Amino acid sequence: MAEKNHKKYMRMALSQAKKAWGQTSPNPMVGSVIVKDDLIIGKGYHKKTGEPHAEINAINSVLNRSNSRNKLSGSTMYVTLEPCSTYRKTPPCTEAIVKAGIKEVVIGTTDPNPNHAGIAVKILEQNWVNVIIGIEEEKCLELNEAFFYWIVHKRPFVLLKMAMTLDGKIATENGNSQWITGPQARSRVQKLRKWADAILIGGTTARIDKPSLTVRDKKSKTLKNWPQPRRLVASTSMTQAELDEIFPDGAELIKARRQSDWNDIMICLGSENTTSVLVEGGGELAAELLKAGIVNKVEFHVAPKILTGRDSRPVIGGGTPFSLEEALQLKNIKIKKYGKDIAVSGYLE
């Protein structure tokens, strides 16, 4: 099949995977489509931890309609991530693929776990299944970048998201910050909260804004049927009693007294199956995390507003650098508009 067709069907598999956005942690989002004679005959995605994987759901979508494995014989399966090859909560997908008579498997990216990477490919090839790897690999990697990072490093992927004015301010001197960005940018934040296993803010932000830190609908009501992220508040001065007053339905207090403490905190969160952390401010916490070197990616939303004021709060606080050589450089930069606001994202070198 032509390369362009492989890309077309892999993009469809990616669309399937995205249906489970924020629902599968600590598992990855995976999608699959099955093609025969250049027609899609099956689709599926992994819906949540403990449930059948994308490949099984795609196979079953065919069998549930035709009740015959002959329909699958000689078909091609597209899957965004290398199929599992070991018995865990569910049987290995490689076994089901071979049994179904699928002749070819096109994989977006291999398993990031070094203990499993490439094993499914070998099993499939040993059973006379043709395997193609690396179709739309960059998009497949980006979809599950938090999961991949957690699997390899045993600690969560940290995304620092900040909203600021054109002159780099996040609040007035007294802390007034609602709303710097518009409704489209705030909808983007809700999507990020769905993605995140935990949300981290500083003590000052908690005291002044008293944010809910929950996934909400368009009417700002907390979604009751959504797995809400852990709420983490970093402060060395806040007491548990004060935290409980701000968050009566629960939040966790983090006391990082030294810069090196953040490494231990991240390792601990990773051991508790927290694969992703969304940092929502404020400026001093952002500076502390950047200095500690634990931020993987930033996403700054810039509103077309100029606040002015030397005492207005800057997007990043911390100590004053002596030269531009101390600036942190971003790579793989993307720019996107949300209404009137512009979002700039990139990865820390």
Side-chain angles (χ1 to χ4, degrees):
M1 190 178 291
E3 174 78 9
K4 66 178 182 180
N5 284 339
H6 284 326
K7 289 186 175 182
K8 178 181 75 172
Y9 291 126
M10 186 59 73
R11 286 194 289 268
M12 291 180 181
L14 278 164
S15 295
Q16 287 292 308
K18 291 174 184 176
K19 290 181 179 181
W21 181 271
Q23 297 276 9
T24 63
S25 185
N27 282 3
M29 292 173 277
V30 183
S32 177
V33 299
I34 301 175
V35 178
K36 188 173 183 179
D37 299 327
D38 209 23
L39 292 173
I40 294 177
I41 62 171
K43 298 178 182 179
Y45 65 97
H46 178 49
K47 296 181 179 180
K48 61 177 61 177
T49 302
E51 292 194 5
H53 290 181
E55 301 93 322
I56 304 303
N57 286 330
I59 289 171
N60 287 340
S61 73
V62 179
L63 296 180
N64 290 341
R65 287 199 311 274
S66 65
N67 198 30
S68 171
R69 288 192 176 271
N70 291 333
K71 186 76 173 178
L72 286 160
S73 181
S75 62
T76 296
M77 171 179 281
Y78 292 82
V79 61
T80 56
L81 179 63
E82 180 179 1
C84 67
S85 55
T86 57
Y87 282 89
R88 297 178 190 172
K89 291 183 178 180
T90 57
C93 292
T94 50
E95 187 177 286
I97 292 169
V98 171
K99 184 178 179 180
I102 293 170
K103 72 169 183 179
E104 184 175 61
V105 176
V106 182
I107 298 170
T109 183
T110 55
D111 194 317
N113 189 331
N115 295 323
H116 300 142
I119 293 178
V121 175
K122 291 180 181 178
I123 292 173
L124 292 172
E125 289 178 338
Q126 288 168 358
N127 285 275
W128 310 105
V129 177
N130 184 49
V131 179
I132 299 173
I133 306 170
I135 301 298
E136 295 290 9
E137 184 175 23
E138 185 177 337
K139 292 179 181 178
C140 292
L141 287 170
E142 184 179 6
L143 177 65
N144 286 304
E145 60 188 0
F147 169 78
F148 294 162
Y149 184 84
W150 172 71
I151 280 290
V152 174
H153 300 282
K154 311 301 181 186
R155 53 194 293 161
F157 182 92
V158 178
L159 171 61
L160 171 63
K161 176 269 159 190
M162 302 291 281
M164 66 182 196
T165 60
L166 198 58
D167 54 339
K169 310 297 184 183
I170 61 172
T172 60
E173 182 182 7
N174 65 0
N176 184 1
S177 63
Q178 295 184 341
W179 296 102
I180 287 179
T181 52
Q184 291 93 333
R186 296 199 293 275
S187 293
R188 167 63 179 169
V189 174
Q190 288 303 314
K191 185 175 181 179
L192 291 176
R193 287 186 179 183
K194 287 181 176 180
W195 162 85
D197 287 335
I199 301 175
L200 172 63
I201 61 171
T204 301
T205 300
R207 290 182 176 112
I208 294 176
D209 292 348
K210 293 181 171 55
S212 68
L213 302 185
T214 58
V215 176
R216 301 191 298 271
D217 61 19
K218 293 181 179 180
K219 297 181 180 179
S220 291
K221 292 183 179 180
T222 299
L223 294 176
K224 300 295 184 182
N225 60 344
W226 195 272
Q228 295 295 333
R230 297 172 66 174
R231 293 183 288 195
L232 310 175
V233 178
S235 176
T236 56
S237 62
M238 184 177 288
T239 64
Q240 187 63 47
E242 184 182 6
L243 182 70
D244 293 341
E245 186 175 342
I246 297 172
F247 297 103
D249 50 348
E252 301 168 58
L253 191 58
I254 291 180
K255 292 184 179 290
R257 301 188 182 279
R258 297 179 303 276
Q259 193 174 326
S260 60
D261 290 345
W262 282 110
N263 184 59
D264 296 334
I265 289 167
M266 290 298 130
I267 291 173
C268 180
L269 289 171
S271 70
E272 296 167 348
N273 287 347
T274 297
T275 69
S276 54
V277 174
L278 173 64
V279 183
E280 292 195 19
E284 293 302 321
L285 175 63
E288 186 177 339
L289 298 180
L290 287 168
K291 191 174 182 181
I294 67 164
V295 176
N296 300 97
K297 186 178 182 180
V298 301
E299 182 170 316
F300 282 21
H301 293 203
V302 185
K305 301 174 183 177
I306 300 175
L307 183 57
T308 76
R310 67 174 57 91
D311 293 323
S312 295
R313 302 189 180 192
V315 64
I316 304 292
T320 302
F322 292 102
S323 78
L324 282 174
E325 292 180 358
E326 298 179 55
L328 300 174
Q329 186 65 46
L330 297 181
K331 61 182 180 180
N332 299 339
I333 298 167
K334 291 185 179 180
I335 299 173
K336 189 171 182 178
K337 282 197 72 177
Y338 293 99
K340 295 180 180 180
D341 306 314
I342 297 173
V344 180
S345 65
Y347 300 84
L348 271 298
E349 288 188 343

